[in-house]
Amino acid sequence: EFSGEELTAIGRNFLGWALDGSTEIVEFPLTMGTSDITLNAVWEDIWYTVTWDVEGEKTEAEYHYNDEIVAPEDPVKEGYSFKGWAETEGGAVIPYEDMPETMPELAEGSTIEYYAVFEINEYTVTFTVNGTQYDEQTIEHGKFATKPATDPTPEQGKIFVGWAVSDNPNVAVDIASYPITADTEFVAVITDKD
C-alpha cells in the first residue's frame, strides 16, 4: 500500500500523482498489484500578477515564478518627467538595480504593484533688456512667471512698454496670464516716446 507522499516546489502547486502516461490523479491509499507501476507528479504552475499603475490607469501582466518581469514603456505625462516606479502610491522611486528582474517567490494569490512617479518639469524664464539678462526665474510647468520687481530704465527718449516673448519681440504680453511650458525668454519692449 502506497499513501502518496505530497511534494512541494517553489511557484508550483502539487496536485497529486498520476499513472505514467496519464494526467488523471489517482486516489490513495493505492493498493499495488503484482506488476511495477510508475507514478508521475502532477503540478500546476502558480500565476502571479504584476500591476503597473499610472495615475489610476492600470496595466497587468501575469508571470510564473522566475519568469522575466518586463516593465511597460516609460509613461508620458505632459509637463512632467517620469522618474521611475514606487511600491506604494506617492512612495519613493525604487532604484533600477533594486527592481526584481524575475518573478520572486510569493504566497499564492499575491500581487506586486508598482506606481509611476512623476516630477513636474521646471523651466528657466529669463528677462532680457537689449540682449542683457535683467532677471531670471525658475517656474513649474503651466505656472506663471512674475514680472521683475522694477521695470527697466530705457535710455533717454525711449519708454518701456512691457515684456514680449522672444519669438515675437514687438508684442507685449500679460506675464501673469502667460503659462510657462518650456524655457522662455521675455524681452523688454522699448519704443520711442511720442
Side-chain angles (χ1 to χ4, degrees), residues 107-179:
E108 188 171 356
S110 295
T111 62
I112 296 177
E113 291 189 52
Y114 294 113
Y115 297 86
V117 177
F118 293 99
E119 183 176 271
I120 194 164
N121 292 338
E122 292 185 335
Y123 306 108
T124 301
V125 174
T126 55
F127 293 83
T128 59
V129 178
N130 296 324
T132 302
Q133 183 173 315
Y134 187 74
D135 190 21
E136 182 176 280
Q137 300 170 18
T138 301
I139 306 296
E140 291 182 347
H141 179 85
K143 306 284 187 198
F144 304 97
T146 304
K147 285 188 343 178
T150 59
D151 290 337
T153 304
E155 60 190 71
Q156 191 164 356
K158 307 256 182 199
I159 60 168
F160 170 72
V161 176
W163 296 99
V165 181
S166 61
D167 59 358
N168 194 5
N170 297 317
V171 179
V173 297
D174 179 9
I175 303 273
S177 62
Y178 190 90

Side-chain angles (χ1 to χ4, degrees), residues 33-48:
T34 57
S35 60
D36 291 343
I37 62 168
T38 301
L39 294 173
N40 293 317
V42 179
W43 299 94
E44 173 184 67
D45 286 332
I46 298 172
W47 288 92
Y48 304 102

Side-chain angles (χ1 to χ4, degrees), residues 10-13 43-50 61-70 101-106 112:
I10 296 173
R12 303 175 92 190
N13 283 329
W43 299 94
E44 173 184 67
D45 286 332
I46 298 172
W47 288 92
Y48 304 102
T49 302
V50 176
E62 290 192 333
Y63 298 95
H64 291 114
Y65 167 73
N66 218 25
D67 283 351
E68 179 183 3
I69 296 176
V70 180
E101 293 179 15
T102 59
M103 192 68 210
E105 179 182 1
L106 299 173
I112 296 177

